[in-house]
Each structure stands twice: as C-alpha cells, then as structure tokens.
Amino acid sequence: LGLLQHLARSVLGALSPAPDHSSHLHPALMLLRLIIIKKLLVAVLLLTVAVLALVGSYRYDQLPQLLQECTDNDHELLAAVVGRGLQDGQTRLLLTALVTGVYGVLIAVAAIATWLKRRWGEWLLLAVLLSSLPMELHEITTEPNSVNLTLTGVTLLGIWIVVGQLRRSRLREE
C-alpha cells in the first residue's frame, strides 16, 4: 500500500502543470482535466481487473476454495466475482487479463499525454473516447438510467472538448 501511495504521489507530482500566474484555466480545460482524472481512475480499475484475472487464471484450481471461503464469510460481492471467474474458465480469465490490461494502459497513456499537452495524446484520448461511445450508447438503450446517461454525456463532452483542442492546435500551426 505504501508503494502505491508513493507511486500515486509521484505520478500526480509529475502531472502537475507549471503554475501559470497570468491567467486562470479556461472552463473547457478544467472539464478536460476532470475527464482525464476520470479516465485515469478507469485505467487503474481496468489494470486491477487485469491483475486479478491473471492471478485467477494462474490459480484457477484454488478458486473453488476461495469461493467457499467468501460465501462462508458473507463476502457476497467477492464471492460473485470469484464465481464468475469459475464460470468463465481459465482461458477466458487470461483473455480478460490481456484485454483489460492493454486497454487500461492505453487509457492511462492517453490521459497522461493529454494532461502534459502532447498533441498525439489528444488524438489518442479522442480515439479512446470514441471507442467507448458505442458501448455507452448500448448501455443507454438496454438499461437507461441516470448513471449511464451521465457517463455518456461526459464522454460526448470530452469528445467535443478534445476536438476543439485539436482544431485550435491546427489553427495555431497554420
């Protein structure tokens, strides 16, 4: 846990922009930074899922015992996750680890590069936002609720802001 805290402080310190005393952040830039923070949290969650799926695939033979322990100790959420891992099978757990790990790293790289105002990072973040849009729209149509609507709204707002950033960058270059 101490290592994670140290890593988080190091990353946040590296991501802190140099103070600009001449002006305040533009509202769109503040919103973009909030979206970047959200994407970093998603990346951490995806990487956690990847590690858990990888561990589950390598210790697949121990999952039934872990499921029994979770059930006996009233850890319903953990028992549901372990049960799902048992249902999916070892190969599916490895595939889940690979896909969520790669996507988590991709999101983290896009978010950090955009925070550091790298143009390629903005393009990558735009690709990440666009890639999540079909799933979010599917969620709205199958299970419309305020959380799904809000997440889709944030994604659309992020797309709009990043496209604006890219347009402004292109106009400055011309």
Side-chain angles (χ1 to χ4, degrees):
L1 184 60
L3 177 63
L4 287 175
Q5 289 174 336
H6 175 70
L7 180 62
R9 271 186 258 148
S10 298
V11 168
L12 289 176
L15 293 179
S16 297
D20 180 11
H21 301 290
S22 63
S23 66
H24 293 286
L25 288 178
H26 188 272
L29 185 56
M30 288 188 332
L31 286 171
L32 180 60
R33 288 195 175 167
L34 288 173
I35 291 168
I36 290 169
I37 291 168
K38 175 199 167 260
K39 286 298 180 187
L40 285 171
L41 292 173
V42 168
V44 168
L45 178 66
L46 287 172
L47 291 172
T48 302
V49 168
V51 168
L52 292 174
L54 188 63
V55 169
S57 71
Y58 283 118
R59 297 186 175 194
Y60 190 75
D61 58 325
Q62 297 172 358
L63 288 182
Q65 179 185 354
L66 179 59
L67 178 61
Q68 186 60 45
E69 288 175 19
C70 292
T71 304
D72 291 345
N73 294 319
D74 290 330
H75 297 296
E76 294 175 26
L77 181 61
L78 189 55
V81 171
V82 173
R84 178 67 190 255
L86 276 169
Q87 289 175 352
D88 288 347
Q90 192 170 10
T91 304
R92 183 89 181 252
L93 284 173
L94 274 173
L95 183 61
T96 299
L98 177 67
V99 170
T100 57
V102 168
Y103 194 56
V105 168
L106 185 69
I107 290 172
V109 168
I112 291 169
T114 301
W115 187 285
L116 296 175
K117 298 181 180 176
R118 303 288 192 259
R119 189 163 183 207
W120 61 267
E122 292 173 347
W123 281 106
L124 188 56
L125 182 62
L126 181 61
V128 166
L129 290 169
L130 287 170
S131 71
S132 67
L133 194 56
M135 181 62 85
E136 292 178 13
L137 292 173
H138 174 73
E139 290 288 323
I140 286 176
T141 58
T142 59
E143 193 176 328
N145 60 46
S146 59
V147 172
N148 290 342
L149 289 170
T150 302
L151 290 176
T152 304
V154 168
T155 298
L156 290 170
L157 182 62
I159 291 168
W160 180 71
I161 292 171
V162 172
V163 166
Q165 293 277 102
L166 290 167
R167 281 186 181 160
R168 281 190 289 285
S169 294
R170 191 180 67 202
L171 289 175
R172 274 187 237 125
E173 290 176 356
E174 293 177 355

